[in-house]
Amino acid sequence: MNNSIQAGIQRVLVYPARTPVISGKRIFFLFSLNQIENIISKLEIYPLPFAPSHIKGLAQWEEQVVPVLSLEKCLELPDLGRQSSHMRLILVRSENKNIKGLLSADSAIRLIPRPDSCFAGSSLSWLSHKESVRGVYEWDEGFLIIVNINNILNGELTIKGGKPWNA
């Protein structure tokens, strides 16, 4: 493939969720490169007592205090609970770029070509927080979940009991 064609390919960032296989497929989270501000290898995470389970703590990044979130817990997906010794934190931002959050991910973060439209809407009974998902694609490696990061960062995610997490 020549460089001019390859340069025109839109890429997205994906990383595997720490969940068991669902319907025989692995789960991955997908983000556009516009949503990603940085990938950080080491950062001190401070626990936040009495926080909802999807908030792992707070971290300081460039003089800002940023929540560290578990997307598995946000979406109430079954979580394997184990963490790799090679964890990375992905700094994501809302569309208006004013609100940021850190997502914990295994080091298996990679860029792939943007997938063709292959919505997997009929087989999503395992996904309980559909309002926090923009779409799910099925590809040869599993399911790609496109998270509505704006809803999550803006506190519009509802937790069990139907209340927003920031209420």
Side-chain angles (χ1 to χ4, degrees):
M1 182 178 271
N2 75 32
N3 288 339
S4 62
I5 293 173
Q6 198 169 18
I9 295 174
Q10 290 184 338
R11 300 211 178 263
V12 292
L13 181 137
V14 298
Y15 68 92
R18 287 185 305 276
T19 62
V21 172
I22 297 176
S23 300
K25 298 181 183 274
R26 290 187 68 193
I27 305 297
F28 295 83
F29 295 117
L30 180 148
F31 290 91
S32 74
L33 296 184
N34 290 333
Q35 295 174 298
I36 307 298
E37 188 162 314
N38 211 328
I39 299 174
I40 306 155
S41 60
K42 291 188 181 197
L43 198 59
E44 183 81 26
I45 299 173
Y46 300 96
L48 191 59
F50 311 110
S53 64
H54 68 277
I55 299 178
K56 297 176 110 178
L58 298 173
Q60 184 174 347
W61 173 252
E62 294 186 350
E63 300 185 26
Q64 296 179 35
V65 175
V66 182
V68 180
L69 307 170
S70 164
L71 287 182
E72 293 86 358
K73 299 265 187 207
C74 285
L75 300 176
E76 292 185 15
L77 294 172
D79 191 347
L80 290 176
R82 69 174 194 258
Q83 290 190 357
S84 166
S85 59
H86 302 292
M87 292 298 297
R88 301 282 184 264
L89 293 169
I90 302 170
L91 185 65
V92 294
R93 58 183 169 231
S94 62
E95 287 176 1
N96 63 12
K97 301 181 183 177
N98 291 336
I99 304 172
K100 298 178 184 177
L102 287 160
L103 307 174
S104 59
D106 286 333
S107 60
I109 300 167
R110 58 190 164 133
L111 292 175
I112 64 167
R114 186 176 56 97
D116 293 330
S117 185
C118 308
F119 191 72
S122 62
S123 60
L124 300 180
S125 60
W126 47 267
L127 190 57
S128 60
H129 281 294
K130 292 181 178 76
E131 77 279 0
S132 297
V133 173
R134 289 192 173 192
V136 178
Y137 290 91
E138 195 167 343
W139 65 320
D140 57 347
E141 294 185 43
F143 291 112
L144 290 167
I145 297 178
I146 303 168
V147 177
N148 187 336
I149 200 66
N150 291 326
N151 280 3
I152 293 170
L153 292 178
N154 289 323
E156 296 170 19
L157 172 70
T158 55
I159 57 173
K160 289 179 183 171
K163 297 180 182 177
W165 69 265
N166 65 352

